[in-house]
Amino acid sequence: MAAALALAVAGCGGDDGGEKTAKTPSSEKSGSSDGKQQDTAAGEQTDPNAKLAVLKGADSMEYTVTSVVRDNGGFVTVTGQMKNTGSENFYGVPSWRGNEKEILLGSGDAVSGGTLVDQQGKKRYYVLRDTEGRCLCSTGISKIEAGKSIPVFMQFPAPPEGTSQVNLSIPTFDSVAIKISG
């Protein structure tokens, strides 16, 4: 156990080459020898290369959902890759924010406008916020270079236990049905 902790701490360091990257919920994932990630809260394997769903967006943007996990704390975390499939850099991140006043003040360049819709329960779930109004989602996204991908996550309140499928929406993207694991 101590060796695994030492490796995990050592793996957290490193130089990102000075590039600003999106923050991800690194505390929720741990690597494994087969290249897959394990959600330590739910104990489930998730493959970062899996394609559970692809949302097509404006300006040649695509969001590929790689995991949708319900954890024991009453949250659902959606993880994936945001890719610029175009030939020019993308700077339209502000269009992905919601329109609530606290979102505009606290979340900056983020995917804080994402929602989950439970069609069965007729309820919409918004990206969670901390006590200062900042989203529990990837932030600090100022641009996405042409042809590049960045990791993007959003955390939502969990729908009731019996709900296993929801629709994911991000402003300027198509909506898509996704299945919740865990």
Side-chain angles (χ1 to χ4, degrees), residues 20 91 93-94 96-97 107-112 138-143:
K20 194 174 198 179
Y91 297 96
V93 177
W96 300 342
R97 294 187 299 211
S107 295
D109 292 334
V111 290
S112 57
S138 296
T139 61
I141 307 168
S142 58
K143 77 174 181 179

Side-chain angles (χ1 to χ4, degrees), residues 9-23:
V9 170
C12 289
D15 184 13
D16 66 358
E19 281 188 39
K20 194 174 198 179
T21 59
K23 296 177 187 173

Side-chain angles (χ1 to χ4, degrees), residues 19-35:
E19 281 188 39
K20 194 174 198 179
T21 59
K23 296 177 187 173
T24 60
S26 58
S27 62
E28 296 176 9
K29 306 285 183 194
S30 62
S32 69
S33 61
D34 62 359

Side-chain angles (χ1 to χ4, degrees), residues 88-107:
E88 296 186 19
N89 292 341
F90 176 76
Y91 297 96
V93 177
S95 62
W96 300 342
R97 294 187 299 211
N99 58 5
E100 298 98 342
K101 181 179 178 184
E102 65 188 27
I103 293 172
L104 295 175
L105 295 175
S107 295

